[in-house]
């Protein structure tokens, strides 16, 4: 009976926290808000996938077992990528939350961790196809949960450390509290994972503990959103306004045109000439002409100098 109460509470907590996040996102459609909502949504998607698999196994064990190879392979693959999307999206959120210039974030910085996540999975697939063995796959699944828990603990510790180094105003206190909401459940999960691997625990008991931690986390996030939503939105809206003002000053100082500013932003986001041309619907030769004009106005010779000048200009105006 107790486990059913926890299962129902788990589903209610998912609906409740997603509702709170939806209202939070509607109130502030900033990049940082998107990153936060995405991270929590991915975490709840992961937990729901695990819950769904256990539920299907209980109500239709014969159907699951008859299609175990294909169905479980698809499920494991989806779950694996969602699992690793959680810490990666959390790292992106931490970068945005601690950076006074969120517009400098480049999603290409996520390419390396993405490759590190995909490569072992691809190697495991190749092993199955080439040798008809699943040694890599078995070890991958055996270590993934623990690695992700450790990654989330270290990331939340880093977030708390950075927040504690800053002045104690409302926004930094909110970041401090948020780091604890992440840290405590993941630390408990880490300790329990080690214990469960050393001592045989009844499945029902371990399920109740896991559901309790998820419910605890979702309640913590919902309470945090209730308490700090206005502080958070106001702070990062002001940062965005400051960034816009700096851009206007940059344009004015160097007599940069609107189109040249578009090109500068894309260059600073790591785009190639071809990617800039495609995004702005102009030819590559036109992009090169804009580059030449920009370099002349700024008295620089290459992209590296452009990015350095552009970001230094914003730094000096803080």
């Amino acid at each position: 009976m107790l486990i059913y109460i926890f299962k129902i509470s788990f589903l209610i907590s998912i609906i409740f926290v997603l509702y709170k996040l939806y209202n939070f996102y509607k109130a502030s459609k900033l990049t940082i808000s998107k990153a936060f909502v995405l991270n929590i949504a991915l975490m709840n998607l992961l937990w729901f996938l695990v819950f769904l698999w256990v539920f299907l196994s209980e109500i239709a064990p014969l159907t699951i077992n008859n299609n175990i190879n294909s169905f479980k392979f698809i499920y494991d693959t989806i779950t694996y990528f969602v699992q690793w999307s959680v810490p990666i999206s959390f790292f992106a959120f931490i970068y945005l939350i601690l950076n006074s210039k969120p517009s400098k974030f480049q999603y290409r910085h996520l390419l390396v961790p993405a490759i590190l996540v995909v490569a072992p999975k691809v190697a495991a697939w190749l092993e199955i196809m080439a040798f008809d063995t699943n040694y890599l796959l078995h070890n991958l699944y055996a270590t993934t949960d623990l690695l992700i828990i450790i990654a989330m603990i270290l990331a939340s510790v880093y977030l708390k450390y950075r927040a504690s180094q800053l002045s104690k105003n409302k926004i930094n206190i909110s970041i401090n509290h948020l780091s604890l909401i992440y840290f405590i459940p993941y630390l408990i999960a880490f300790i329990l994972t080690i214990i469960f691997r050393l001592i045989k625990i009844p499945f029902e008991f371990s399920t109740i503990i896991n559901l309790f931690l998820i419910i605890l986390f979702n309640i913590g996030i919902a309470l945090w959103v209730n308490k700090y939503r206005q502080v958070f939105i106001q702070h990062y809206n002001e940062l965005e306004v400051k960034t816009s003002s700096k851009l206007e000053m940059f344009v004015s100082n160097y007599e940069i045109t609107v189109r040249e500013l578009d090109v500068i932003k894309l260059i600073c986001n790591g785009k190639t000439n071809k990617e800039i041309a495609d995004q702005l619907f102009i030819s590559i030769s036109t992009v090169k002409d804009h580059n030449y004009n920009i370099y002349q106005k700024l008295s620089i010779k290459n992209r590296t100098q452009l990015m350095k000048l552009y970001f230094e200009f914003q730094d000096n105006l803080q």
Side-chain angles (χ1 to χ4, degrees):
M1 182 65 183
L2 184 62
I3 193 168
Y4 292 109
I5 293 173
F6 272 95
K7 284 180 178 178
I8 292 167
S9 301
F10 159 74
L11 292 173
I12 291 171
S13 77
I14 289 180
I15 294 167
F16 181 63
V17 78
L18 291 179
Y19 170 74
K20 288 289 182 184
L21 289 172
Y22 174 70
N23 288 332
F24 174 76
Y25 175 69
K26 275 204 313 182
S28 166
K29 294 187 177 180
L30 298 169
T31 302
I32 192 166
S33 303
K34 292 177 185 176
F36 177 59
V37 171
L38 176 64
N39 181 244
I40 304 300
L42 283 169
M43 292 173 80
N44 279 280
L45 172 61
L46 172 61
W47 296 327
F48 181 74
L49 284 172
V50 175
F51 174 84
L52 185 63
W53 175 261
V54 173
F55 177 72
L56 290 174
S57 300
E58 288 174 351
I59 65 168
L62 291 176
T63 306
I64 296 292
N65 290 332
N66 289 338
N67 299 283
I68 193 70
N69 289 331
S70 57
F71 190 65
K72 194 169 190 312
F73 178 79
I74 294 169
Y75 165 80
D76 285 342
T77 302
I78 293 171
T79 304
Y80 175 80
F81 287 119
V82 174
Q83 276 181 303
W84 279 109
S85 297
V86 170
I88 289 174
S89 62
F90 188 45
F91 299 155
F93 173 61
I94 288 175
Y95 178 91
L96 290 168
I97 208 171
L98 294 175
N99 200 311
S100 59
K101 300 173 289 300
S103 58
K104 283 179 64 176
F105 179 73
Q106 298 177 20
Y107 285 98
R108 66 189 178 88
H109 292 161
L110 299 178
L111 184 61
V112 173
I115 290 171
L116 291 175
V117 168
V118 173
K121 190 70 175 178
V122 171
W125 288 337
L126 292 174
E127 181 199 10
I128 292 171
M129 290 187 289
F131 306 106
D132 199 24
T133 59
N134 64 350
Y135 177 79
L136 280 176
L137 199 63
H138 175 74
N139 284 283
L140 198 61
Y141 293 143
T143 57
T144 295
D145 288 346
L146 197 57
L147 287 174
I148 288 172
I149 290 171
I150 292 170
M152 293 298 288
I153 289 172
L154 292 175
S156 56
V157 168
Y158 175 73
L159 180 61
K160 180 167 176 52
Y161 169 74
R162 285 292 305 274
S164 66
Q165 300 294 105
L166 304 171
S167 56
K168 289 193 175 182
N169 53 29
K170 285 185 179 179
I171 186 64
N172 294 331
I173 291 170
S174 75
I175 294 170
N176 211 321
H177 289 173
L178 184 63
S179 68
L180 288 174
I181 292 169
Y182 276 90
F183 175 73
I184 293 170
Y186 273 103
L187 179 63
I188 297 171
F190 174 75
I191 294 168
L192 292 176
T193 301
I194 300 299
I195 293 172
F196 291 166
R197 292 190 180 198
L198 297 174
I199 305 170
K200 193 171 182 181
I201 302 291
F203 177 74
E204 186 170 315
F205 178 74
S206 64
T207 302
I208 289 172
I209 294 296
N210 288 328
L211 290 174
F212 172 74
L213 289 175
I214 294 166
I215 293 165
L216 179 69
F217 177 82
N218 279 338
I219 290 173
I221 291 295
L223 291 174
W224 184 88
V225 169
N226 263 354
K227 185 171 183 179
Y228 294 113
R229 181 176 68 173
Q230 291 305 322
V231 173
F232 191 86
I233 290 171
Q234 183 180 348
H235 175 77
Y236 287 100
N237 269 332
E238 286 174 0
L239 271 184
E240 192 145 295
V241 169
K242 286 179 184 177
T243 302
S244 300
S245 300
K246 291 170 187 176
L247 286 177
E248 289 173 9
M249 198 172 292
F250 183 81
V251 168
S252 174
N253 278 16
Y254 293 104
E255 298 180 351
I256 301 293
T257 66
V258 174
R259 179 57 87 189
E260 286 168 353
L261 182 60
D262 291 336
V263 172
I264 289 171
K265 287 179 181 177
L266 291 172
I267 288 174
C268 291
N269 280 326
K271 302 293 184 184
T272 63
N273 284 344
K274 186 179 184 310
E275 289 170 333
I276 294 171
D278 292 340
Q279 194 158 332
L280 297 180
F281 302 103
I282 56 178
S283 67
I284 293 178
S285 62
T286 304
V287 174
K288 289 179 179 177
D289 288 340
H290 284 311
N291 289 348
Y292 175 79
N293 292 333
I294 291 165
Y295 293 170
Q296 291 296 308
K297 289 179 180 180
L298 302 180
S299 301
I300 56 174
K301 296 181 179 178
N302 53 49
R303 286 169 170 248
T304 304
Q305 291 178 346
L306 170 60
M307 287 188 277
K308 184 180 178 184
L309 177 66
Y310 181 70
F311 292 133
E312 278 183 353
F313 186 86
Q314 293 191 34
D315 288 337
N316 291 335
L317 289 175
Q318 284 192 41

